[in-house]
Amino acid sequence: MPKSRSSLLTRRGLIAAGGALGLVAALSACGGADKAKDGTGDADNAAAASGPWTFKDDLGKNVSAKSTPKNVVAFTGTAAALYDYGVNVKGVFGPTKTADGKPDVQAGSMDISKVAILGNVYDEFNVEKYASLQPDLLVTNSWDGSYWYVPEASKDKILKLAPAAAIKVGGDVAMDQALARTADLAKSLGADMNAKKAVDAKARFEAAAAKVREATKANPGIKVLVGSGAADLFYVSTPKTSADLKYFQSLGVEFVTPQKLDEGGFFESLSWENAGKYKADVILLDNRTGTLQPKDLAARPTWAEMPAVKAGQITPRVTEPIYSYEKCAQLLEDLAKSIQGAKKVS
């Protein structure tokens, strides 16, 4: 599981107690026919087939509704992926806008002015506002069998208000599998996967994957470290439990594998005094809002002494990818360039 913005700790120590809940128990009957007045949830969603709707999600649950959901609420990154396929959502939860009001990296191409934001940080979810949207489906990702960014403290009340579906992006799945399942979900909600944009995006992804394979063969032996910086700790991720890294590894990328993983098995946390424990030629650095970026790390001696840092071989890592073929193709293209141009310095 990636580290949340509100708490860069271990596994579901990421999860803090939930916020205040309103009078939501009586709001258990949620309509699904209303369209957002701001224009979301209409054009492409209206193309969805009528009649009963079912979708088996990656938690093994058969999610169903009387008709194709129109009032969809989603984790921001999942919503951004659906948007790329022409499926609009009515509300989002998760990192959506930055302190200056600009779209967060996880919002992708969405117009965030046209969605209701139920929570912008980890463990924040306005249940009353969610109920007022009359949701008929909640969708999110899953790293460890739970609903990502749905607060543990208010989970039961949230899940009573509408069916929920989750797509696995961690554990035993790789990026190509997470992409296919997200596309399946989008199709079930009315996306036209035969549209030129969708077909071209998938072809671009496949071509980008080939570029990564070519880069690793042309420049063998390049060691890649996946890191995330916080005030007190430097996290080194394992490629074994994240869908993106697992897929990159299958394309020939050679990762530094941390030896002593924290609870949950996603990363090893190192004090800054020990941040140079692992040597690498390229660093993929967590680009999420709330994590430290190269300019923030420049004054830290152990960071500055890392061979990859000295060589200027640092590439942003989209730690929580937007699982559309369009967005993941860009990730692969950037990765191929990084490996192809890297020098052996470790």
Side-chain angles (χ1 to χ4, degrees):
M1 180 192 301
K3 297 163 285 297
S4 74
R5 288 168 177 72
S6 64
S7 176
L8 292 171
L9 301 177
T10 59
R11 201 179 178 223
R12 289 180 64 88
L14 299 170
I15 299 178
L21 303 178
L23 299 175
V24 298
L27 298 172
S28 58
C30 300
D34 292 348
K35 296 180 180 178
K37 294 181 181 179
D38 58 11
T40 61
D42 50 11
D44 291 291
N45 292 359
S50 58
W53 175 87
T54 60
F55 181 80
K56 186 169 183 177
D57 79 348
D58 290 351
L59 301 184
K61 296 183 179 180
N62 289 306
V63 187
S64 61
K66 291 181 180 179
S67 60
T68 302
K70 302 296 191 298
N71 292 354
V72 178
V73 173
F75 166 65
T76 303
T78 314
L82 294 175
Y83 180 88
D84 285 348
Y85 292 122
V87 178
N88 295 307
V89 304
K90 199 167 186 180
V92 296
F93 54 96
T96 307
K97 63 181 179 180
T98 58
D100 58 5
K102 295 180 180 179
D104 188 274
V105 292
Q106 293 196 62
S109 302
M110 280 195 303
D111 183 346
I112 63 172
S113 70
K114 293 185 177 181
V115 293
I117 300 174
L118 307 180
N120 197 56
V121 297
Y122 199 82
D123 233 20
E124 179 181 88
F125 193 115
N126 189 322
V127 184
E128 289 184 325
K129 190 173 183 180
Y130 175 57
S132 74
L133 296 177
Q134 297 185 306
D136 44 22
L137 179 67
L138 180 146
V139 294
T140 186
N141 293 335
S142 181
W143 288 85
D144 62 353
S146 63
Y147 295 100
W148 187 231
Y149 266 79
V150 174
E152 191 69 18
S154 52
K155 177 184 69 177
D156 291 345
K157 292 186 177 182
I158 292 168
L159 297 181
K160 284 180 181 178
L161 295 172
I167 301 296
K168 284 184 70 174
V169 297
D172 59 353
V173 302
M175 173 178 272
D176 55 341
Q177 296 167 297
L179 278 166
R181 292 294 291 143
T182 303
D184 288 343
L185 175 61
K187 184 177 180 179
S188 80
L189 294 173
D192 181 2
M193 303 310 294
N194 293 317
K196 186 178 186 302
K197 180 181 178 182
V199 172
D200 288 351
K202 188 171 183 180
R204 179 186 172 191
F205 173 82
E206 292 169 350
K211 289 179 182 178
V212 175
R213 287 193 192 95
E214 291 167 4
T216 59
K217 289 179 181 178
N219 196 7
I222 296 298
K223 290 287 186 180
V224 179
L225 182 148
V226 181
S228 183
D232 300 320
L233 297 169
F234 183 63
Y235 299 90
V236 179
S237 294
T238 176
K240 297 179 180 180
T241 49
S242 295
D244 59 334
L245 303 183
K246 187 185 291 289
Y247 185 64
F248 298 164
Q249 192 170 46
S250 76
L251 300 178
V253 178
E254 296 183 39
F255 286 105
V256 169
T257 301
Q259 300 168 355
K260 189 177 179 181
L261 300 179
D262 291 2
E263 181 185 1
F266 287 90
F267 49 81
E268 178 177 354
S269 56
L270 301 171
S271 66
W272 277 107
E273 290 78 7
N274 297 311
K277 177 179 178 179
Y278 300 107
K279 305 301 180 185
D281 305 299
V282 172
I283 295 176
L284 296 184
L285 187 66
D286 190 344
N287 77 334
R288 290 178 297 174
T289 304
T291 62
L292 301 182
Q293 300 306 305
K295 61 180 176 59
D296 307 312
L297 297 171
R300 295 179 181 268
T302 49
W303 169 261
E305 289 301 312
M306 291 181 186
V309 175
K310 284 184 174 182
Q313 295 179 169
I314 306 167
T315 298
R317 182 205 175 192
V318 181
T319 304
E320 295 183 55
I322 294 169
Y323 281 97
S324 70
Y325 286 107
E326 175 186 323
K327 295 298 188 293
C328 288
Q330 184 66 59
L331 299 187
L332 290 175
E333 290 165 357
D334 292 343
L335 179 63
K337 289 179 183 177
S338 295
I339 293 173
Q340 189 172 20
K343 296 179 180 179
K344 186 70 179 175
V345 294
S346 64

